[in-house]
Amino acid sequence: LRAALLHLQCKRPEEALNCLYQAQSVYPTLSVETLIEAIHRGSHPSFSSRDEQQSDEMTHIKECTDYYQILGISRDCDENDLKRAYRRLALRYHPDKNSTPGATE
């Protein structure tokens, strides 16, 4: 099931179906069957909604001028909270982990 989800993440539904059919033959479950049906309907769970959300967040970050608001912290936070928030955001939007347009900017 994990391999099928990875194939879906990489936008390869045919390979995902192959993995799901193998999983269904070994250990039939309702979740595998549901996923197979969703792929056949063309409404398979993809990560496009995640990409859209990150794209919206990137637009918000570009428009925002208050750095504390971008980091999601208050102005009276201590230095450790500031560093932690910056690192979290830097990892989340690192170009190697974020493939949305505008992530490299």
Side-chain angles (χ1 to χ4, degrees):
L1 185 57
R2 247 182 280 169
L5 293 174
L6 287 173
H7 285 301
L8 284 176
Q9 183 179 8
C10 296
K11 310 258 191 258
R12 295 186 304 232
E14 298 82 19
E15 288 90 352
L17 277 173
N18 290 338
C19 291
L20 289 170
Y21 288 139
Q22 289 176 359
Q24 189 74 352
S25 67
V26 173
Y27 187 73
T29 62
L30 184 60
S31 62
V32 171
E33 185 177 328
T34 305
L35 195 55
I36 290 172
E37 290 173 3
I39 292 172
H40 282 299
R41 284 192 313 265
S43 63
H44 61 83
S46 67
F47 292 86
S48 61
S49 61
R50 185 176 141 222
D51 290 343
E52 289 172 5
Q53 179 186 5
Q54 283 185 340
S55 180
D56 292 342
E57 290 172 357
M58 292 300 296
T59 304
H60 172 70
I61 288 173
K62 288 179 183 179
E63 293 172 353
C64 194
T65 57
D66 182 21
Y67 296 118
Y68 290 95
Q69 185 181 8
I70 292 172
L71 293 174
I73 55 176
S74 64
R75 288 187 175 271
D76 60 346
C77 69
D78 64 348
E79 187 177 344
N80 290 330
D81 290 338
L82 181 66
K83 287 180 181 180
R84 193 175 310 121
Y86 176 78
R87 286 187 191 119
R88 184 185 70 237
L89 200 65
L91 283 175
R92 184 174 182 178
Y93 293 109
H94 191 277
D96 290 341
K97 297 183 182 219
N98 184 359
S99 61
T100 59
T104 56
E105 299 171 9

